[in-house]
Amino acid sequence: MPELPEVESLTAFLRERAVGRTVLAVDVVAIQALKTFDPPVSALGGLTVTGVARHGKFLDLDCDGLHLVIHLARAGWLRWRDDLSGAKPVRPGKGPLAVRVRFAPDDAGAAPGFELTEAGTQKRLAVYVTKDPDSVPGVAALGPDPLDDAFTVDALKRIVGGNRTQIKGLLRDQKVIAGIGNAYSDEVLHAARMSPFKIAATLTDAQIADLHEAIVTTLREAVERAHGLAAKDLKAEKKSGLRVHNRAGQPCDVCGDTIREVSFADSSLQYCPTCQTGGKPLADRRLSRLLK
């Protein structure tokens, strides 16, 4: 799943390539991806992209005041094309293509654009056309952005105070903190040397400060590694920079212990016992045994 660092990099990528271009057409191939009907998607035709922003994991293309808001969900991605003038029409239900955005031809005759694709059978990629990004439910409900200056240690203290949620789940809750998903929550907790099963309300002031440092540093470093990369290279960069996520069975880069995994119905987490749980393996959550 694309998380804050990848979406931030995609935002910069599109800001460089799409701003100033005129939308020729937006072709919706997977009709379930389009979540709005008024204004119609056709209203984007002829408008100019004046800005690109990020809201949590949402991409936002401002087209003369009308916004194309995109959520890539779990298996979605954005692919830039230098020339779509010869692209063949795609039938709904055929292949991973969900949406194609075409821009007017440039002076050389090339018509660039981008395609939104989604792998797998669970189609959750979402596209909205709206006059106000805050009208998108997911955007309106977002918690603070961890890269914003307002996300201070005191702000995090207010978030965790009295919260009986496990810290792993709290970090992934977009209504609590925007932009962190499964992968970077694993990375943050490893950097903070904290069990993913620890209850948020039990954190001491020192642990909250350490967690804040881990959140900000982990995300900023990931954004810096991805800076300037083409959209097609972001996935590989993310994978190469992960220390524990999806590395079960491999040695921890910090202490050399074997990275362990806890599996759930539709996801899993990875952690280092030595760095995070005092050397003790975490019990499977399905057994209702939590290590604190």
Side-chain angles (χ1 to χ4, degrees):
M1 175 184 290
E3 300 178 34
L4 186 154
E6 294 78 54
V7 179
E8 179 71 18
S9 297
L10 286 173
T11 300
F13 180 88
L14 286 177
R15 191 176 290 135
E16 179 181 342
R17 289 162 177 79
V19 169
R21 295 189 182 275
T22 300
V23 178
L24 187 63
V26 178
D27 306 317
V28 179
V29 180
I31 191 62
Q32 75 276 2
L34 184 61
K35 305 302 182 184
T36 55
F37 62 90
D38 184 22
V41 69
S42 59
L44 292 165
L47 301 183
T48 299
V49 180
T50 56
V52 185
R54 175 184 62 79
H55 313 286
K57 300 179 190 178
F58 290 82
L59 276 166
D60 174 10
L61 280 76
D62 185 343
C63 305
D64 286 331
L66 193 60
H67 296 257
L68 177 64
V69 179
I70 301 164
H71 192 278
L72 295 170
R74 189 168 188 170
W77 197 244
L78 183 150
R79 303 177 187 276
W80 180 264
R81 304 299 188 191
D82 290 327
D83 189 5
L84 282 168
S85 58
K88 297 180 180 179
V90 180
R91 295 180 180 178
K94 300 291 184 179
L97 181 60
V99 177
R100 177 182 284 158
V101 177
R102 295 181 285 135
F103 296 117
D106 56 24
D107 293 339
F114 61 87
E115 296 175 336
L116 304 178
T117 60
E118 186 172 25
T121 58
Q122 294 185 357
K123 302 300 184 182
R124 298 177 180 174
L125 185 145
V127 174
Y128 307 80
V129 180
T130 177
K131 296 178 181 178
D132 180 8
D134 284 335
S135 68
V136 176
V139 174
L142 287 173
D145 192 294
L147 295 188
D148 192 284
D149 290 341
F151 185 74
T152 62
V153 174
D154 285 340
L156 181 59
K157 186 175 182 179
R158 289 191 293 271
I159 289 171
V160 302
N163 196 312
R164 301 302 300 176
T165 305
Q166 293 175 9
I167 193 63
K168 165 78 175 181
L170 182 141
L171 290 177
R172 293 185 61 187
D173 188 341
Q174 300 305 294
K175 296 179 181 179
V176 176
I177 301 174
I180 303 175
N182 196 33
Y184 286 107
S185 58
D186 282 349
E187 297 301 301
V188 164
L189 292 171
H190 179 253
R193 305 181 69 86
M194 188 174 295
S195 167
F197 285 175
K198 189 171 184 63
I199 301 302
T202 66
L203 268 62
T204 65
D205 287 350
Q207 289 173 325
I208 292 172
D210 289 344
L211 180 61
H212 179 272
E213 174 67 19
I215 291 170
V216 174
T217 300
T218 298
L219 295 178
R220 289 198 182 280
E221 287 180 351
V223 170
E224 289 173 4
R225 289 196 304 269
H227 179 71
L229 292 180
K232 64 182 178 64
D233 299 322
L234 289 174
K235 286 185 179 181
E237 168 53 41
K238 176 180 181 179
K239 184 177 180 180
S240 68
L242 299 176
R243 290 188 170 189
V244 289
H245 185 74
N246 276 348
R247 292 191 59 211
Q250 300 179 41
C252 172
D253 291 342
V254 175
C255 70
D257 194 1
T258 301
I259 295 170
R260 305 289 186 96
E261 178 175 285
V262 177
S263 297
F264 304 95
D266 60 352
S267 66
S268 62
L269 65 82
Q270 290 79 40
Y271 68 99
C272 170
T274 294
C275 292
Q276 296 175 253
T277 61
K280 300 177 181 179
L282 290 176
D284 194 307
R285 186 177 181 183
R286 289 169 293 187
L287 301 179
S288 299
R289 179 185 172 190
L290 311 180
L291 290 184
K292 301 178 182 179

